[in-house]
Amino acid sequence: MSSQDTPGARLAAFAAGLRFESIPAPVLRRTEDLFLDWVGSALAGKSARAVQAIEAYASSMGPADGSAEVLMTRRMTSPHFAAMVNAAASHVVEQDDVHNGSVFHPAAVVFPPALAVAQAIGASGREFLAAAVAGYEVGIRVGEFLGRSHYRIFHTTATAGTLAAAAATGRLLRLDAAQMLHAFGSAGTQAAGLWEFLRDAADSKQLHCAHAASAGLASAYLAQAGFTGARQILEGAQGLAAGMSSDADPARLTAGLGSRWATAETSFKYHASCRHTHPSADALLLLMREHRLKPDDIAAITAQVHQGAIDVLGRVVVPGTVHQAKFSMGTVLALVAEHGYAGLDEFDRHFLAPRIAVLRDKVTMQLDTEVDTAYPQRWIGKVSVRTQDGRTMQARVDEPKGDPGNTLSRPELEDKARRLAAYGGAATPAEMDGLIARTWGVADAPRMGRWLPA
Amino acid sequence: MSSQDTPGARLAAFAAGLRFESIPAPVLRRTEDLFLDWVGSALAGKSARAVQAIEAYASSMGPADGSAEVLMTRRMTSPHFAAMVNAAASHVVEQDDVHNGSVFHPAAVVFPPALAVAQAIGASGREFLAAAVAGYEVGIRVGEFLGRSHYRIFHTTATAGTLAAAAATGRLLRLDAAQMLHAFGSAGTQAAGLWEFLRDAADSKQLHCAHAASAGLASAYLAQAGFTGARQILEGAQGLAAGMSSDADPARLTAGLGSRWATAETSFKYHASCRHTHPSADALLLLMREHRLKPDDIAAITAQVHQGAIDVLGRVVVPGTVHQAKFSMGTVLALVAEHGYAGLDEFDRHFLAPRIAVLRDKVTMQLDTEVDTAYPQRWIGKVSVRTQDGRTMQARVDEPKGDPGNTLSRPELEDKARRLAAYGGAATPAEMDGLIARTWGVADAPRMGRWLPA
């Protein structure tokens, strides 16, 4: 296999050659949906201490003006720092999108560099959308390629995200296929992000997104300037998979390029918690509705889950922070049982409430073979409840709310974006009206300017 | 074991608490030696295309003025970008220092952030030296901890280097032990760098240093602002070693803290090639001197080496670039046989010369049990030569030139720094006179200002 004909080289050539005209209209519309959903998340992160620390760093180390917009402060700076801060803000409220098969959150690492670079070079809305699709298609395939063994230790959004950010940036900079492969090489050799922070509820997730977005963006700019990278950074003998995966499958890098649009497989988050809790939460909601249960009726809840959920969520028993609560299956199911929804407000106001704590301690997770086998292609939710009066009942959902077959409508997406912006105190309702209208019309924008008024 | 009593926490506490007064004078003098040696390397990188690409990126994305100095251009910018560019420039000519036991190049990732931050905050020369020692002690121990399995895939200077940069920066920012541990968490979760680029002679090594220096620096500034990281990023179940090593030994993180000064174990490079070639080069020089051989007398050379040398050097047979030539055992031994020295000029002018190519093709590497067992604590050089008239002879060196027991004198270091600066066209001889004098007096500097005239 020559270096020109490797899976990584074919993926790079696809990203470099992707044209707006060749992307099906439903995929473009879904990309607009994903863009609005991302803006909401990036605005919601405004008040988070960890995000503010990264913005303060960007302010002190980056230029005080520039051509790219930090959404939450509306400050202009260089694309490197705008991408860094917007990415840091994107993931903190855990409401951004997720691609199930790759267990990868594309928006948080694709839109920040895509918007920053599009603004900086004055790209059209069409170029912006094509670049975003390039980022999604690349990042999702790299995540799938790295596999489940990778995800056990590494935060795929951080690692695959660095490649995704490079692809989106490289597409906007009109890199050719060879340059794009060099950008992948530089991105892959900077790919990093470990799950260890979950144990301490540390701030690393925000840093992971910031790092992926800015390092990936840098990789593409460097490639444009002739800087070279490893041509087989993904699949080579000393590449990313060799170092960080034991079940990598290079065929997944190129599967269905140009015919399968992984972008449109991306799910929106409905609950404000780690995605691993959503199938169980939806199944519990269904069960309580079908059996007309009240929270006090419940003696015990068993969430039947895949191994990845146990790996990621298992360590959090009694959450110490709101963020940790979003990784506590017990807390999420308790909020859902009590309030019918596990949104940002529910977490902030109730995650340590006595009634929630009592319900939380009734929840256990159990590995389920059917759920585990279907994962990560399908995220099946199964719960079993024992009632105070001794009955046992089950429920299942085959697609949690927000998944492609059970997606959010544009009015639902608008409502979610408005709630997120209000949560962050980052835009007025009138400003959101304008932002939403601009988003639905992005494909006709001759030039990507500021996304919020100065 | 509580989270306050982990090896990583003890290492962080050591770095945070290190005082100038507690560092033995010979270690401080050696640190000054290492500093001068690093400045030379950073100046020598000025003319390298890959370094210029990173400097161009820093110029376009960073502020156009600031308090930290880009040595090769004498431009002032923010510490983030000064550290990034100086680090990128440090390693490109392969003349910077190396610590044998950790197979780690400390100067390239410690001095760039230490100088940039010291300049930015106006630290004294003593504070600067203490910070540099903190960076060396941490980086070397992290490299030793990650072990040989790590080095097979990962560039330890890039990965351990991110922690080293955080330690040096954190010490200058006067982080307390808890903040330093958070800085380690943020640095470790950004640690990255794969050897895959060697196959293509790509530019990644410069990016690795740039990334380690800037990401480590950012991690310490973020910790100062309250940003938290994983407390067991090094040794935890989803930490750096769990993801990137199979033979990590946590005891090595804390071995001899405060009594063993790993900084002073660091070797200077004499030849301008990958350090893995140096023991064989010195042994060949000795053999040719002892037996009064001329290059034309040689029929075959066998370099008896450790496995790491075969892993890193084995893939380069016929080098396509000067950089790749520095990883070609055949080319290095041929230059040494022909010119008595494998310096920057020898590589640039002769690496593809017909006489060099003929000698190069007479060199083979062979795994040697004694050499491999001693490595990485000791880098023994053993060569066997067969002559055209049928004789076979051996030679060995127990410490290559530049190692602590066979170190370079201050006049030798000054000469090397002058040659490196001249090679880069980055400073005049008179400027180097001033720089050298300032370096030997750094411990008395009340404030770290510019290191070269504007």
Side-chain angles (χ1 to χ4, degrees):
Chain A
M1 193 184 293
S2 86
S3 72
Q4 301 310 310
D5 192 34
T6 58
R10 289 203 292 279
L11 184 63
F14 170 81
L18 183 63
R19 296 286 166 266
F20 177 84
E21 294 72 21
S22 59
I23 304 170
V27 176
L28 292 167
R29 297 296 84 73
R30 184 61 60 88
T31 307
E32 293 158 2
D33 293 352
L34 296 164
F35 180 41
L36 178 64
D37 195 61
W38 168 72
V39 171
S41 280
L43 292 173
K46 178 177 181 178
S47 57
R49 175 189 51 74
V51 178
Q52 291 174 347
I54 290 176
E55 161 65 350
Y57 183 75
S59 292
S60 71
M61 296 292 171
D65 52 37
S67 51
E69 178 183 14
V70 176
L71 287 174
M72 66 183 221
T73 55
R74 308 191 189 186
R75 189 171 71 82
M76 300 299 280
T77 184
S78 69
H80 181 94
F81 286 104
M84 179 189 288
V85 178
N86 288 336
S90 300
H91 203 43
V92 67
V93 299
E94 301 283 349
Q95 288 273 267
D96 54 315
D97 63 23
V98 62
H99 182 271
N100 291 343
S102 52
V103 204
F104 167 62
H105 299 282
V109 289
V110 168
F111 285 117
L115 181 62
V117 176
Q119 291 175 330
I121 67 176
S124 70
R126 292 182 171 212
E127 287 288 291
F128 167 76
L129 288 171
V133 172
Y136 272 68
E137 298 294 322
V138 166
I140 289 167
R141 282 180 177 77
V142 172
E144 291 175 335
F145 158 71
L146 290 171
R148 294 178 70 167
S149 67
H150 179 73
Y151 189 73
R152 277 200 283 276
I153 305 278
F154 295 94
H155 184 195
T156 303
T157 299
T159 53
T162 313
L163 278 294
T169 304
R171 176 63 190 76
L172 279 163
L173 297 179
R174 298 176 182 269
L175 300 187
D176 65 25
Q179 291 171 319
M180 185 68 88
L181 191 56
H182 287 306
F184 282 16
S186 292
T189 207
Q190 296 182 87
L194 295 156
W195 281 123
E196 180 62 26
F197 75 91
L198 286 179
R199 212 173 308 273
D200 302 310
D203 298 330
S204 308
K205 200 180 248 197
Q206 282 52 261
L207 183 60
H208 289 174
C209 296
H211 176 262
S214 55
L217 181 149
S219 299
Y221 273 94
L222 287 170
Q224 188 185 37
F227 195 92
T228 63
R231 290 194 176 83
Q232 295 198 59
I233 195 66
L234 296 169
E235 67 280 59
Q238 290 172 303
L240 200 52
M244 306 191 195
S245 172
S246 58
D247 65 342
D249 177 4
R252 310 200 73 175
L253 289 170
T254 55
L257 278 179
S259 56
R260 168 202 171 200
W261 294 94
T263 307
E265 300 164 2
T266 306
S267 301
F268 299 100
K269 274 196 177 178
Y270 185 62
H271 302 290
S273 55
C274 175
R275 186 66 175 174
H276 289 296
T277 66
H278 291 205
S280 303
D282 286 346
L284 180 63
L285 277 174
L286 179 67
L287 182 145
M288 291 180 69
R289 198 159 55 234
E290 285 185 345
H291 296 275
R292 298 170 186 267
L293 288 191
K294 297 195 171 112
D296 291 339
D297 299 333
I298 296 173
I301 304 174
T302 304
Q304 293 148 278
V305 297
H306 52 280
Q307 183 62 44
I310 293 171
D311 292 344
V312 172
L313 308 171
R315 70 195 76 263
V316 179
V317 180
V318 178
T321 64
V322 167
H323 183 78
Q324 222 171 12
K326 292 170 180 172
F327 286 83
S328 155
M329 179 67 91
T331 304
V332 173
L333 296 193
L335 288 172
V336 156
E338 188 73 23
H339 300 285
Y341 182 59
L344 295 175
D345 278 341
E346 286 73 18
F347 275 106
D348 280 1
R349 291 163 56 196
H350 305 303
F351 86 100
L352 280 180
R355 283 180 59 84
I356 297 301
V358 168
L359 265 169
R360 180 191 71 213
D361 293 343
K362 295 176 176 172
V363 174
T364 52
M365 283 190 287
Q366 190 177 71
L367 180 65
D368 183 276
T369 307
E370 182 202 7
V371 173
D372 193 56
T373 305
Y375 175 89
Q377 278 64 43
R378 290 165 56 224
W379 294 46
I380 299 171
K382 283 167 76 170
V383 294
S384 168
V385 166
R386 188 162 47 77
T387 59
Q388 299 286 7
D389 57 8
R391 290 173 294 154
T392 299
M393 48 198 68
Q394 279 89 29
R396 70 177 283 148
V397 292
D398 282 286
E399 250 184 314
K401 187 162 176 68
D403 266 19
N406 188 13
T407 195
L408 303 187
S409 65
R410 284 204 164 181
E412 285 177 319
L413 287 164
E414 293 175 10
D415 178 60
K416 181 182 165 192
R418 287 179 204 280
R419 283 188 290 108
L420 288 170
Y423 180 84
T428 66
E431 288 171 341
M432 288 304 290
D433 290 344
L435 184 149
I436 289 166
R438 270 199 301 288
T439 302
W440 298 149
V442 67
D444 299 319
R447 189 182 168 90
M448 293 291 289
R450 297 188 62 125
W451 220 245
L452 279 167
Chain B
M1 192 185 294
S2 86
S3 72
Q4 299 312 308
D5 193 34
T6 59
R10 290 203 292 278
L11 184 61
F14 171 80
L18 183 63
R19 296 287 166 265
F20 178 84
E21 294 72 20
S22 59
I23 304 169
V27 176
L28 292 167
R29 297 296 84 73
R30 183 61 59 87
T31 307
E32 292 158 2
D33 293 352
L34 296 164
F35 179 41
L36 178 65
D37 195 60
W38 168 73
V39 171
S41 280
L43 292 173
K46 178 177 182 177
S47 57
R49 175 189 50 76
V51 178
Q52 291 175 348
I54 290 176
E55 161 65 348
Y57 183 76
S59 292
S60 71
M61 296 293 171
D65 52 36
S67 51
E69 179 183 12
V70 177
L71 287 173
M72 67 184 221
T73 56
R74 309 190 189 186
R75 188 171 72 81
M76 299 299 280
T77 185
S78 68
H80 181 95
F81 287 104
M84 178 189 287
V85 178
N86 288 336
S90 300
H91 202 45
V92 67
V93 299
E94 302 281 349
Q95 287 273 267
D96 54 315
D97 63 23
V98 62
H99 182 271
N100 291 342
S102 52
V103 204
F104 167 61
H105 299 282
V109 288
V110 167
F111 284 117
L115 181 62
V117 176
Q119 290 175 329
I121 66 175
S124 70
R126 291 181 172 211
E127 286 289 289
F128 168 76
L129 287 172
V133 173
Y136 271 68
E137 298 296 321
V138 166
I140 289 167
R141 283 180 176 78
V142 171
E144 291 176 332
F145 158 71
L146 290 170
R148 293 177 71 166
S149 67
H150 179 74
Y151 188 74
R152 276 199 284 274
I153 305 278
F154 295 94
H155 183 195
T156 303
T157 299
T159 53
T162 314
L163 278 294
T169 304
R171 176 63 190 76
L172 279 163
L173 298 180
R174 297 176 184 270
L175 300 187
D176 64 25
Q179 291 171 319
M180 185 68 88
L181 190 56
H182 288 306
F184 282 16
S186 292
T189 207
Q190 295 182 86
L194 295 155
W195 280 121
E196 180 63 26
F197 75 92
L198 286 179
R199 211 173 311 270
D200 303 309
D203 298 329
S204 308
K205 199 179 248 197
Q206 281 52 259
L207 183 60
H208 289 175
C209 296
H211 177 262
S214 55
L217 181 147
S219 298
Y221 273 94
L222 286 171
Q224 189 185 39
F227 196 91
T228 63
R231 291 194 177 83
Q232 294 198 57
I233 196 65
L234 296 169
E235 68 279 59
Q238 290 171 303
L240 200 52
M244 307 191 193
S245 172
S246 59
D247 65 341
D249 177 4
R252 310 199 75 172
L253 290 171
T254 55
L257 278 179
S259 56
R260 168 201 170 200
W261 295 93
T263 307
E265 299 164 1
T266 305
S267 300
F268 299 100
K269 274 196 175 177
Y270 184 63
H271 301 291
S273 55
C274 176
R275 185 67 175 175
H276 290 295
T277 65
H278 292 204
S280 303
D282 287 346
L284 180 63
L285 277 174
L286 179 67
L287 183 146
M288 291 180 69
R289 196 160 57 234
E290 283 186 344
H291 296 273
R292 296 168 186 266
L293 288 191
K294 298 197 172 107
D296 291 339
D297 300 332
I298 296 174
I301 305 174
T302 303
Q304 293 149 279
V305 298
H306 53 279
Q307 184 61 45
I310 293 170
D311 292 344
V312 171
L313 309 171
R315 68 195 78 264
V316 179
V317 180
V318 178
T321 65
V322 168
H323 183 78
Q324 222 172 12
K326 293 171 179 171
F327 286 83
S328 154
M329 180 66 93
T331 305
V332 173
L333 296 193
L335 288 172
V336 156
E338 188 73 24
H339 300 284
Y341 182 59
L344 294 175
D345 278 340
E346 286 72 16
F347 275 106
D348 280 2
R349 292 163 55 194
H350 306 303
F351 86 99
L352 281 180
R355 283 180 59 84
I356 297 300
V358 167
L359 264 171
R360 179 192 71 213
D361 294 342
K362 295 177 177 173
V363 174
T364 52
M365 282 190 286
Q366 190 178 71
L367 180 64
D368 183 276
T369 306
E370 182 201 8
V371 173
D372 193 57
T373 305
Y375 174 88
Q377 278 66 42
R378 289 166 56 224
W379 294 47
I380 298 170
K382 283 167 76 171
V383 295
S384 168
V385 167
R386 188 162 49 76
T387 59
Q388 299 286 7
D389 57 9
R391 290 174 295 154
T392 298
M393 48 198 68
Q394 279 90 29
R396 71 177 283 149
V397 293
D398 282 287
E399 252 184 311
K401 186 160 177 70
D403 266 17
N406 188 12
T407 194
L408 304 186
S409 65
R410 285 202 164 182
E412 285 177 320
L413 288 165
E414 292 176 10
D415 178 61
K416 182 183 165 192
R418 287 179 203 280
R419 282 188 292 109
L420 288 170
Y423 180 83
T428 67
E431 287 170 341
M432 288 304 290
D433 289 344
L435 184 149
I436 289 166
R438 269 198 303 288
T439 302
W440 298 149
V442 67
D444 298 320
R447 189 181 166 90
M448 292 292 289
R450 297 188 63 125
W451 220 244
L452 280 166

